[in-house]
Amino acid sequence: MSSGVLQGKTITAIGGGLDSGCAVALGKAYCWGIYNGSGGLGSDGVVASAPTVAVPVSTSGVLAGKFVTALSVGMDHTCVIASGLPYCWGANEMGDLGAPPTADDMAQVPVAVNVSGVLAGKTVSAISAGGGWTTCAMADGAPYCWGFNAEGQLGNNTTTNSAVPVAVDLSGVLAGKSITSLQMGHTTTCALASGRVYCWGENGDGTVGTTSVFQSSWVPVAVDWTGVLAGKVATALSLTYGTACVIADGSPYCWGDNGNGNLGAGSDTAYSYVPVAVVTTGVLAGKSATTISSGMNHTCVLASGQPFCWGNDYSGELGDGSLNPSFVPVAVVTDGALSGRTITQIVASYDPSFALTAGAPNTPMAAGAFTALASVRMLDTRIGLGAASKGPLPAGASVALQILGRGGVPATSVSAVEFNLTAVSPSSGGYQIGRAHV
């Protein structure tokens, strides 16, 4: 996938949907796939010469001049974050794109999500396009959702669809908690907050993670933490069609749909309404899991830098070369295209699996390729947040920053590097500029 329009570009994020995949490279989005009928490629109708060939997502409209930092690919729509704001394209039957549905219920180019209401003035830091015409985003540490809401997956204590973002109800179990991850499945949504998981929406397969069998929830509820997760701290979360998974204390745990063994617990029992432990006595023995991704019928993890998957393998999504389903983790083959590469991200999509690697294999850094930067004093130049947020950062203060773009290594005649950043927390009121002399 590094040929064509992606040739020579560094990919920083990947995502996969039902019929398409997308990537972010140098601040722009690119997509590929076998079907563009709903505008899922975002290319204004441009179709590649083959399904595996990427095409650029249109930047002639709302994305003109903007820098894409994150993306999420749903079943038939895709969303990105660009310069701190959300944009989507694809199917829009239920307001999935955060904009009023059109006559043909789709957008073949990115459209701006409506941020004039609950998202006004907020910086979006994460986005998740679901499989059931719903999208959720995290802005300034709080969750917001839009689109289809028949099962209460918007989390606002209603079942009314919304073509504009609405705030998730934070008056209950999420009150006062810091949300660090937000994931949208088919008709269920989950959030990771303060080391535990909270879900809302449909619970037909146990995806909400409580013992309330078949009972959907229109507001967030706490996932059962009294069994295998008792005393553990969750650090990563994934949710797709009907399965939710977490990494807690270095090990994977899952709940929900298990029709293809996608819980990794050693059986294909239809479902589990509470978290179960993924089998770690085989290929995962002694390894520490850091990243997890649940697909429609399979799940993958990165553990001690290596990829492992379990569940359905009808299309080879487990990557072990067998085409045989597995109810326990198996090792992904890494002696071919992945040989010598460091995997930084793994995505279990609706069918395929994707892996993002860092750089070319076995390529050492040339001596003297980079010059260390001297320590610098950061100044907070934002506006609109009061006098306390301007000038030098006081001792003990901290501001979470996100780099929006970067240049190459400066020539020897260059005496300084300038880069733009935006604050993630506290809420952004403008940009910061950092300058470092070399």
Side-chain angles (χ1 to χ4, degrees), residues 9-370:
K9 295 181 172 67
T10 299
I11 297 174
T12 53
I14 55 175
L18 180 62
D19 296 307
S20 62
C22 296
V24 174
L26 300 179
K28 298 185 183 300
Y30 301 83
C31 295
W32 59 91
I34 63 174
Y35 178 61
N36 196 29
S38 296
L41 303 186
S43 58
D44 200 11
V46 175
V47 179
S49 58
T52 56
V53 176
V55 294
V57 172
S58 175
T59 57
S60 62
V62 294
L63 286 181
K66 294 183 172 62
F67 195 92
V68 176
T69 53
L71 65 78
S72 178
V73 185
M75 181 176 286
D76 51 11
H77 73 293
T78 301
C79 296
V80 299
I81 299 173
S83 302
L85 294 174
Y87 302 86
C88 301
W89 61 88
N92 195 32
E93 300 172 40
M94 303 291 181
D96 336 16
L97 308 186
T102 58
D104 53 3
D105 291 332
M106 68 175 184
Q108 295 212 22
V109 296
V111 297
V113 173
N114 188 323
V115 294
S116 64
V118 293
L119 287 178
K122 295 181 171 62
T123 299
V124 175
S125 56
I127 197 160
S128 182
W133 310 289
T134 308
T135 307
C136 292
M138 189 161 65
D140 295 352
Y144 302 85
C145 299
W146 57 91
F148 188 50
N149 194 33
E151 300 291 341
Q153 59 264 43
L154 299 189
N156 65 340
N157 203 22
T158 76
T159 55
T160 303
N161 299 343
S162 178
V164 298
V166 297
V168 173
D169 190 324
L170 300 180
S171 63
V173 294
L174 283 177
K177 292 183 172 62
S178 175
I179 297 176
T180 53
S181 179
L182 182 66
Q183 297 286 314
M184 178 72 226
H186 186 64
T187 48
T188 309
T189 312
C190 293
L192 176 60
S194 303
R196 293 197 175 187
V197 179
Y198 304 83
C199 299
W200 56 96
E202 184 184 7
N203 196 36
D205 291 318
T207 325
V208 171
T210 70
T211 56
S212 300
V213 180
F214 297 120
Q215 183 175 342
S216 298
S217 178
W218 299 356
V219 296
V221 295
V223 170
D224 188 291
W225 223 258
T226 61
V228 294
L229 286 173
K232 294 181 171 62
V233 176
T235 53
L237 166 69
S238 182
L239 172 66
T240 188
Y241 192 87
T243 305
C245 297
V246 295
I247 300 293
D249 292 359
S251 296
Y253 301 84
C254 298
W255 62 94
D257 180 35
N258 192 41
N260 292 278
N262 27 332
L263 299 187
S267 75
D268 61 346
T269 302
Y271 42 74
S272 176
Y273 287 99
V274 295
V276 295
V278 174
V279 173
T280 57
T281 56
V283 294
L284 286 180
K287 294 181 172 62
S288 177
T290 53
T291 302
I292 193 161
S293 180
S294 51
M296 178 179 283
N297 297 307
H298 73 295
T299 306
C300 296
V301 297
L302 278 181
S304 300
Q306 301 173 47
F308 303 88
C309 298
W310 58 89
N312 189 44
D313 197 29
Y314 179 80
S315 301
E317 49 264 57
L318 300 190
D320 66 341
S322 72
L323 295 180
N324 296 322
S326 179
F327 302 156
V328 298
V330 295
V332 174
V333 174
T334 58
D335 59 2
L338 293 176
S339 179
R341 294 181 180 268
T342 299
I343 299 175
T344 58
Q345 183 184 356
I346 193 164
V347 174
S349 182
Y350 286 84
D351 276 326
S353 300
F354 302 86
L356 179 62
T357 64
N362 301 320
T363 302
M365 183 68 71
F370 296 94

Side-chain angles (χ1 to χ4, degrees), residues 375-399:
S375 300
V376 295
R377 178 174 295 177
M378 294 298 296
L379 298 179
D380 194 337
T381 61
R382 293 176 293 162
I383 60 174
L385 296 178
S389 66
K390 300 177 183 178
L393 295 177
S398 64
V399 175

